[in-house]
């Protein structure tokens, strides 16, 4: 038998959510969030498709609180887009 050399495996660092968020300064994260909200508002996606029952802004407008969408607005959107029961056709009778 010949001796086998065992090579060590290279150590790879694992990225975690905390380490990934540390890589960007808070101002960059704020800018990304502002851009995301502005895109959603402009095209009326997600919760921005609904008027806000809390601060009474119309659909397509930002809530009056900065960097926040009211929970009632998100809930109204979820209720509106809730999937209906799937259509199940009845068995076709043979003639």
């Amino acid at each position: 038998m010949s001796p086998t050399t065992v090579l060590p495996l290279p150590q790879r660092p694992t990225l975690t959510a905390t380490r990934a968020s540390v890589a960007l300064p808070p101002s960059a994260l704020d800018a990304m969030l502002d851009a995301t909200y502005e895109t959603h508002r402009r095209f009326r996606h997600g919760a921005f498709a609904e008027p806000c029952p809390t601060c009474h802004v119309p659909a397509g407008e930002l809530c009056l609180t900065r960097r926040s969408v009211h929970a009632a607005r998100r809930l109204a959107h979820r209720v509106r887009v809730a999937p209906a029961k799937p259509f199940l056709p009845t068995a076709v009778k043979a003639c």
Side-chain angles (χ1 to χ4, degrees), residues 25-86:
S27 59
L29 293 174
D30 289 344
M32 287 172 30
L33 186 60
D34 286 345
T36 301
Y37 275 5
E38 180 60 24
T39 302
H40 278 77
R41 181 203 66 78
R42 184 174 176 201
F43 296 105
R44 295 184 181 203
H45 290 172
F48 293 106
E50 305 292 328
C52 184
T54 304
C55 60
H56 306 290
V57 295
E61 294 297 323
L62 295 171
C63 284
L64 297 179
T65 60
R66 188 166 187 255
R67 291 193 176 94
S68 176
V69 177
H70 288 118
R73 192 175 198 177
R74 288 192 301 267
L75 180 64
H77 173 67
R78 288 187 193 120
V79 167
R80 186 176 65 87
V81 296
K85 288 185 178 180

